[in-house]
Amino acid sequence: MDSTRWRSTRAVALSTITVGSILTATSAVTAVAEPSGPDVSSWQHVDGRFIDWFAVKRAGHDFAMVKATEGLSYLNPYFVPDSVLMRTAGVARGTYHYARPNLPPEPQAALYATVVLGQNGPLDLPPVLDLENAGGLGPAGLIDWTHRYLNTVQALTGRVPIIYTYPNFWKTAMANTNEFTRYPLWIADYRGNEQPEVPGGWPTWTFWQTTDAGRIPGIAGGTDVNVYSGAQGDFARYANIG
């Protein structure tokens, strides 16, 4: 994800992995994480260039996550063209809000829901909360903030949101709480292990951001790349395809 490109300043060096690896969703149930896709924001529009979503699709990527909003006032200037062009290319769309917990959650949820115009159409994945900034809140305050945001977004969009985070943030800023296991988990873990670390009592992950330095045809420069585990069932159904 981005805002101030936290990945480039993290203290722990994270390595990339091969996206085409065969992955297992849990130790008990084997799932091949076939659907893959980038997540993008204004950073992937180098020199104002548009993403060639047809090239992304031809390269075998079935979905992409697109930054929509941040805080109470930021709208990704490329969100609308990306949304239109990726749908035209047949790429399922996930959209995310970058949380600013120093600001109240309900107006942020309302801004996001207004901008994305719902998440229930064809090729729509559920809404995503990008939670990687505590905004000065301690764990109890941040847990309350997160509950309020997610409840509001679910009420406004009609779908159970996905939480994006990374292990160390969840274990520290969220005190490794297990209060959010009903929400699908999108975890960022670039250490090259066979499975990502899953914090917070989640039984498994739904999306795994495996690298922040992937190369995908149609996207200028590096980009995050993600895989889907199958944890929410058939991907076509989950993404309202067909």
Side-chain angles (χ1 to χ4, degrees), residues 18 24 54 73-74 94 101 106-107 131 134-135 142 147 153 155 160-161 226 234:
T18 301
T24 55
F54 288 92
S73 59
Y74 177 79
E106 291 84 3
L131 188 61
L142 188 57
H147 277 302
V153 160
V160 176
N226 310 273
D234 178 68

Side-chain angles (χ1 to χ4, degrees), residues 72-141:
L72 289 174
S73 59
Y74 177 79
L75 168 62
N76 174 11
Y78 298 98
F79 176 74
V80 171
D82 276 337
S83 292
V84 171
L85 293 171
M86 64 195 297
R87 286 173 184 241
T88 303
V91 177
R93 181 190 73 151
T95 68
Y96 68 89
H97 175 77
Y98 186 94
R100 288 295 183 185
N102 58 309
L103 301 169
E106 291 84 3
Q108 293 189 58
L111 171 66
Y112 166 82
T114 300
V115 167
V116 300
L117 298 174
Q119 291 291 105
N120 294 290
L123 295 170
D124 266 338
L125 286 161
V128 177
L129 173 64
D130 177 356
L131 188 61
E132 54 185 282
N133 184 320
L137 299 180

Side-chain angles (χ1 to χ4, degrees), residues 9 13 15 43 59 71-72 95 111 129 140 151 161 184 194 227:
T9 57
S15 59
W43 288 93
L72 289 174
T95 68
L111 171 66
L129 173 64
N151 288 339
E194 189 172 319
V227 290

Side-chain angles (χ1 to χ4, degrees), residues 22-26 29-34 195 205 228-231:
I22 300 300
L23 306 171
T24 55
T26 67
V29 181
T30 299
V32 178
E34 292 180 324
Q195 287 290 305
W205 54 277
Y228 173 67
S229 72

Side-chain angles (χ1 to χ4, degrees), residues 121-197:
L123 295 170
D124 266 338
L125 286 161
V128 177
L129 173 64
D130 177 356
L131 188 61
E132 54 185 282
N133 184 320
L137 299 180
L142 188 57
I143 289 168
D144 177 69
W145 188 99
T146 303
H147 277 302
R148 289 164 58 193
Y149 179 92
L150 294 171
N151 288 339
T152 305
V153 160
Q154 185 168 350
L156 292 173
T157 64
R159 298 190 77 177
V160 176
I162 298 165
I163 295 174
Y164 169 93
T165 193
Y166 58 95
N168 189 55
F169 180 86
W170 197 267
K171 289 189 294 184
T172 56
M174 295 289 279
N176 210 29
T177 178
N178 62 1
E179 294 182 23
F180 296 90
T181 55
R182 82 176 188 89
Y183 300 98
L185 173 66
W186 178 10
I187 194 71
D189 189 339
Y190 316 146
R191 291 173 289 185
N193 297 325
E194 189 172 319
Q195 287 290 305
E197 181 180 355

